[in-house]
Amino acid sequence: MAVQDHSHRHVGFHLSFPRRTGSASGPAVASETTATATAGAHALAGLRILLGFVFLWAFLDKTFGFGYATPSGKGWIDGGSPTKGFLNSVAAGPMKDTFHSWAGDTWADWLFMLGLLGIGVALIAGIGLRLAAVGGTAMMALMWMAEWPPAKHLADGTPSMSTNPFADYHLIYAVALIALAAAGAGATWGLGRIWARLPFVSRNRWLR
């Protein structure tokens, strides 16, 4: 008996999808990229303003004694020292004695308060972010050393209550300042573009 050989047929489901042409995907991709860039710019602008308020509020509270970190009647305008209490309370770290010697000095009070004011205004207005990043990073580094997170115990042996030996809010603030300056975050919801066009700023890029 002859056996005829039949070819095997595979029956299945075939799904077809419409193919995007280059001309159709180009505008969509560009629109999505623009939307992402805009959202990122707004997020950085929001971070910039909030961080600026942190510095500006610290200046205002220490100046006028609003009763938050600074008790009423103990403000700078009332004769109080913005640095004396904090620096005298330093109880750990290699600069403990140095900070104690600075506590309450006029130059330390003025430098600290002008730093808070300048950084706060610069961030909120979106101008001079590079200067704000340099000044703010230096301030955060000194405050990090004053609180000295690596220490598990203070000089008197009591627990320091440090929750992380390295990464605390001072470090996060410093990195945020650097990121805002590097990204030119003053152009959105700020005066960054106007500031950059000023003659003395355009001639000195470090002022941006």
Side-chain angles (χ1 to χ4, degrees):
M1 178 181 291
V3 179
Q4 294 180 348
D5 184 25
H6 298 282
S7 60
H8 297 283
R9 295 180 181 179
H10 297 280
V11 180
F13 295 100
H14 299 279
L15 300 178
S16 60
F17 297 94
R19 296 183 179 179
R20 295 181 179 179
T21 62
S23 59
S25 62
V29 172
S31 178
E32 183 179 353
T33 301
T34 301
T36 301
T38 300
H42 288 166
L44 286 175
L47 174 63
R48 190 197 81 232
I49 294 171
L50 287 174
L51 188 55
F53 186 71
V54 169
F55 283 90
L56 185 60
W57 176 258
F59 168 81
L60 294 173
D61 185 54
K62 293 179 184 301
T63 298
F64 301 104
F66 289 147
Y68 289 86
T70 305
S72 179
K74 299 293 185 179
W76 198 22
I77 63 170
D78 300 309
S81 169
T83 63
K84 188 173 183 179
F86 175 68
L87 293 181
N88 270 335
S89 67
V90 174
M95 292 186 64
K96 178 170 66 72
D97 294 336
T98 301
F99 286 133
H100 288 174
S101 68
W102 291 353
D105 284 355
T106 301
W107 69 266
D109 289 343
W110 276 94
L111 189 62
F112 179 57
M113 294 298 281
L114 289 177
L116 290 176
L117 177 62
I119 295 167
V121 170
L123 289 173
I124 292 175
I127 61 176
L129 296 186
R130 294 180 181 180
L131 284 175
V134 172
T137 298
M139 180 184 292
M140 290 301 102
L142 288 171
M143 293 181 71
W144 185 89
M145 294 193 70
E147 295 195 8
W148 198 242
K152 293 182 179 179
H153 297 87
L154 303 179
D156 59 1
T158 59
S160 67
M161 305 305 292
S162 174
T163 59
N164 191 298
F166 176 65
D168 73 342
Y169 71 97
H170 298 104
L171 179 64
I172 295 172
Y173 284 175
V175 172
L177 287 167
I178 294 170
L180 290 171
T188 302
W189 298 343
L191 303 175
R193 287 192 178 92
I194 297 174
W195 175 259
R197 287 197 296 265
L198 295 177
F200 70 93
V201 177
S202 61
R203 289 193 301 268
N204 301 279
R205 297 176 63 88
W206 57 272
L207 291 174
R208 295 185 178 183

